[in-house]
Amino acid sequence: MSPDSRGSRGPRSPTSQTVEIDGRTVKLTNLDKVLYPASGFTKGEILDYYARVAPVMLPHLADRPATFIRYPDGVDASGFFAKHAPSHTPDWVRTVSIAVSSSGKQIEYVLIDDLSSLMWAANLAAVEFHVPQWHAADPAHHDLLVLDLDPGAPATVLDCVRVAFAARDLLAGHGMELRAKTSGGKGLHLYAPLTGVTAEQARELAHTIALSLETQHPDFIVSNMAKRERPGKVFVDWSQNTHAKTTVAPYSLRARPHPTVSTPVTWEQLESARRPEDLVFSPARALEQVGDYGDLLSGL
């Protein structure tokens, strides 16, 4: 893509810059490389988005072992999951060695605790950031419950909204408050805080909730992972609470043809949505959402 074909995006940025962030030197490279070919969205624009959203995103990344999905050749090419800290990780990026499977194998994870670490990671073409429901400081306990609502075609995110309200009502009866965000794809994620809960307990709780919702609304909710059960219904994925599983972090970009963001939303926004597009957030719209509401997941 030529610079002139990028419309109103402004003058072309330098291909690389060295910047000081948090008193650290961070080299940002290939800034004009297009990583979203369908929209011409560049690596520089990805870095700019993450820099702007960092004040609300970093609290949801801090002290949680990060898994990156990197797309060095753009989102229309094959990306890859990166769990292990690269060998060239700067010494100022915090890492932690944790065993997350029954095999006991240790993985050296990156912890994104500050802006300089976030910019360093995004410069690796880490388009997506995924984190578990526990902190590195206490991996034995989960502090978040997450329900991943995944619609099976022809169901859409609007059907997920119905499930979200059913889940909110169910958990409110047990003194639990749910908050919602878009997945950045076709579904929704629902979160509730937990205290002193093991991974197994969190997983069983989520499974129990999914089964209860399915029992109450068998016509449009399914808790069975079998894909043959999902068409026309919303799958409540409770397995995201397994210790080794991760969920896309709040405010993370998603690798779709056009850049979308996993964005916290209000219940009023969910209720007023009339088209699936009403719950699609571009980076610009996600930043507007933060400007209007602040961090709707604050405190989690």
Side-chain angles (χ1 to χ4, degrees):
M1 176 177 288
S2 68
D4 293 340
S5 68
R6 298 171 65 213
S8 60
R9 294 180 184 276
R12 181 171 178 171
S13 300
T15 58
S16 65
Q17 294 181 19
T18 299
V19 295
E20 294 294 322
I21 307 173
D22 304 327
R24 297 157 178 162
T25 301
V26 184
K27 187 175 182 180
L28 308 177
T29 58
N30 298 319
L31 298 177
D32 60 348
K33 185 172 184 178
V34 174
L35 294 186
Y36 285 87
S39 59
F41 204 71
T42 65
K43 184 179 176 184
E45 289 170 301
I46 290 174
L47 287 160
D48 179 71
Y49 165 74
Y50 278 127
R52 292 175 184 272
V53 84
V56 292
M57 184 180 186
L58 284 172
H60 301 290
L61 296 174
D63 198 49
R64 295 187 190 272
T67 296
F68 310 147
I69 307 186
R70 295 173 57 183
Y71 291 88
D73 296 317
V75 298
D76 59 345
S78 296
F80 61 94
F81 279 84
K83 290 182 177 288
H84 296 267
S87 59
H88 52 78
T89 301
D91 57 10
W92 45 261
V93 172
R94 193 158 73 99
T95 63
V96 62
S97 184
I98 295 178
V100 296
S101 67
S102 57
S103 68
K105 181 180 179 181
Q106 298 281 320
I107 294 178
E108 190 74 15
Y109 283 97
V110 168
L111 300 175
I112 304 297
D113 291 332
D114 48 42
L115 178 60
S116 53
S117 299
L118 178 60
M119 290 295 96
W120 165 79
N123 188 60
L124 299 177
V127 171
E128 297 190 10
F129 293 83
H130 294 242
V131 290
Q133 320 315 323
W134 45 270
H135 283 273
D138 186 12
H141 296 95
H142 286 213
D143 67 327
L144 286 178
L145 176 84
V146 62
L147 301 174
D148 181 359
L149 308 185
D150 184 13
T156 70
V157 69
L158 298 183
D159 297 284
C160 293
V161 170
R162 296 174 63 196
V163 178
F165 276 95
R168 187 182 72 163
D169 293 343
L170 173 65
L171 268 65
H174 296 276
M176 296 180 70
E177 179 191 2
L178 277 181
R179 287 188 256 180
K181 71 177 175 70
T182 68
S183 69
K186 58 184 179 178
L188 294 175
H189 296 152
L190 306 178
Y191 286 95
L194 298 174
T195 303
V197 175
T198 66
E200 185 62 27
Q201 290 170 332
R203 183 174 176 274
E204 287 304 312
L205 173 59
H207 194 191
T208 298
I209 292 168
L211 286 170
S212 297
L213 290 169
E214 181 181 41
T215 300
Q216 291 179 9
H217 306 281
D219 54 329
F220 66 94
I221 296 178
V222 62
S223 65
N224 191 323
M225 290 187 181
K227 291 189 176 181
R228 66 178 180 274
E229 304 286 342
R230 301 187 196 180
K233 296 185 178 183
V234 174
F235 171 47
V236 180
D237 188 354
W238 45 271
S239 72
Q240 294 294 314
N241 299 275
T242 303
H243 187 69
K245 289 285 191 73
T246 61
T247 304
V248 67
Y251 306 105
S252 175
L253 288 163
R254 301 308 305 270
R256 300 293 186 265
H258 296 274
T260 60
V261 176
S262 181
T263 308
V265 290
T266 68
W267 289 100
E268 290 75 18
Q269 286 175 312
L270 293 179
E271 187 174 30
S272 65
R274 295 294 178 266
R275 306 170 304 150
E277 293 79 11
D278 294 337
L279 295 173
V280 175
F281 287 78
S282 66
R285 188 183 175 201
L287 290 169
E288 290 175 1
Q289 179 85 340
V290 172
D292 290 341
Y293 297 101
D295 180 15
L296 289 167
L297 299 184
S298 178
L300 287 182

